[in-house]
Amino acid sequence: MTLDAPVRLGVQLQPQHATYPQIRDAVLRMEDLGVDIVFNWDHFFPLSGDRDGLHFEAWTMLGAWAEQTERVEFGTLVNCNSYRNADLQADMARTLDHISAKGGGAGRFIFGTGSGWFERDYDEYGYEFGTVGSRLNDLADALPRVRARWAKLNPAPTRDIPIMIGGKGEQKTLRIVAEHADIWHSFVPPAEIAHKLDVLRGWGERVGRDVSQITISNELARHRLDDDHADALHDAGVRLFTLGISGPAYDDAPVKHWLEWRDRKNG
C-alpha cells in the first residue's frame, strides 16, 4: 500500500456530552495544534456515558466546520449509508467540498462512509435495521450512485472527493473497499493487517482495480499512549491514525502526544 506516504493524524471529536460552543472551540484547537483531519461520527445518541446525554447531528455540523476552518480536512468517521438517499449524500458532500474551498483552492471534505450498525439510531428515527448483509448490499449499491451524481452536479466537486470506507469483513466490505475506497479504515490489530491486505489485493484483482494506492487507516489506543502499538501499526502499513476523544472537555493531551509521534515518524 502507500508505504511512502506521510503519517497523518485524524481526531474524531465525538459529538456527545458537550454543548455546541465546546465542540466549536475543540475544532479550532485541533486545527491550531496541527491535526490533519477532524472527524465527527454519524449517530443520533451518545455511544458512551449517559446514553440520553447531549448529542448533535453529524452532517449539519460539518457545514459549520467547513466554514470555520481554513486548513484541516474533515468528515464523518463514518457516515451511515442507511440514513440518507445516496444521491442526496453526494450532493451534500459536493456542497461541503465547495464550502471548505478557501482562496480558490480545492475543498477539504473526506467522504467517510459505512453500512451502519447502531440499532437504536434505526429504531428511534424510523429506519429499517435489516441485517449486516442487507446493509452492506445497500452500501455497495449506493457508492456507484454517489459517483454518478458527482459527475452530474453543477458545479462539480472541486476535487476527486476521497472516499473512506470503514470495516473489515472479507466477503463484502473489503470488496467494496477494493472497488471504491481511497482510504480503508478499521480497528484491525497489527498482526492481522497483512492478511487483510492480501484479501484486499485479491478483491482488487477480481474487480480490476490497483489497490496499491489505498491509504490504510487505523485507530490509536483510546485510553493509553502506547507507542509500541502505534509503531507496529505503522510497520504493518498504516499511514492514517485516528484518535477518538469525547466531550465535554475534549482533552488535548493525547492529541499532543500523537502529534509529536507523527512528527517523529515523518522526520
Side-chain angles (χ1 to χ4, degrees):
M1 300 300 161
T2 53
L3 299 182
D4 58 345
V7 172
R8 306 181 77 210
L9 179 68
V11 174
Q12 183 191 57
L13 297 174
Q14 299 164 356
Q16 60 177 8
H17 310 308
T19 65
Y20 192 73
Q22 289 172 315
I23 295 172
R24 181 192 300 116
D25 290 347
V27 172
L28 290 176
R29 291 203 312 275
M30 294 305 109
E31 183 164 58
D32 289 345
L33 285 171
V35 165
D36 297 292
I37 309 169
V38 180
F39 294 108
N40 59 16
W41 65 28
D42 191 16
H43 295 289
F44 305 132
F45 302 94
L47 298 185
S48 63
D50 179 1
R51 297 307 172 98
D52 293 311
L54 299 175
H55 198 276
F56 290 96
E57 192 276 328
W59 280 79
T60 313
M61 183 183 302
L62 293 178
W65 291 10
E67 191 63 58
Q68 81 170 92
T69 57
E70 297 290 334
R71 173 196 56 81
V72 70
E73 291 188 291
F74 65 100
T76 48
L77 187 62
V78 289
N79 168 66
C80 177
N81 176 67
S82 304
Y83 301 158
R84 303 161 193 91
N85 171 282
D87 292 83
L88 174 61
Q89 293 177 54
D91 204 339
M92 294 164 70
R94 182 281 309 256
T95 301
L96 289 171
D97 169 73
H98 277 265
I99 294 170
S100 64
K102 302 296 174 71
R108 295 172 286 118
F109 177 67
I110 294 174
F111 183 56
T113 193
S115 59
W117 63 273
F118 189 40
E119 191 168 3
R120 183 185 180 189
D121 284 347
Y122 287 79
D123 291 345
E124 295 218 26
Y125 277 60
Y127 297 104
E128 182 180 349
F129 189 55
T131 66
V132 172
S134 69
R135 295 193 301 276
L136 282 167
N137 289 340
D138 289 343
L139 178 63
D141 291 342
L143 284 165
R145 289 177 56 189
V146 168
R147 290 186 180 278
R149 181 56 56 186
W150 281 341
K152 296 175 183 177
L153 288 169
N154 183 16
T158 68
R159 65 171 180 168
D160 290 333
I161 297 175
I163 295 175
M164 178 182 197
I165 296 175
K168 65 176 183 177
E170 297 180 9
Q171 297 304 311
K172 291 189 175 183
T173 302
L174 291 182
R175 175 170 185 157
I176 297 170
V177 171
E179 288 184 293
H180 298 288
D182 301 290
I183 306 167
W184 169 51
H185 180 76
S186 77
F187 297 82
V188 173
E192 296 180 17
I193 290 177
H195 168 68
K196 296 293 185 182
L197 293 181
D198 282 342
V199 173
L200 182 58
R201 279 187 284 266
W203 279 120
E205 292 173 0
R206 293 193 199 184
V207 304
R209 183 180 176 217
D210 178 7
V211 300
S212 64
Q213 295 305 304
I214 293 176
T215 297
I216 309 305
S217 172
N218 205 297
E219 180 78 7
L220 289 162
R222 296 177 183 224
H223 303 297
R224 54 199 170 95
L225 303 181
D226 187 346
D227 286 17
D228 290 340
H229 179 75
D231 288 342
L233 288 172
H234 182 270
D235 291 345
V238 175
R239 291 299 179 269
L240 173 57
F241 293 80
T242 66
L243 174 70
I245 57 175
S246 181
Y250 295 112
D251 184 12
D252 291 351
V255 178
K256 293 175 180 177
H257 173 90
W258 291 117
L259 285 170
E260 291 174 359
W261 179 87
R262 176 202 67 184
D263 293 344
R264 289 197 301 273
K265 285 296 182 185
N266 289 335

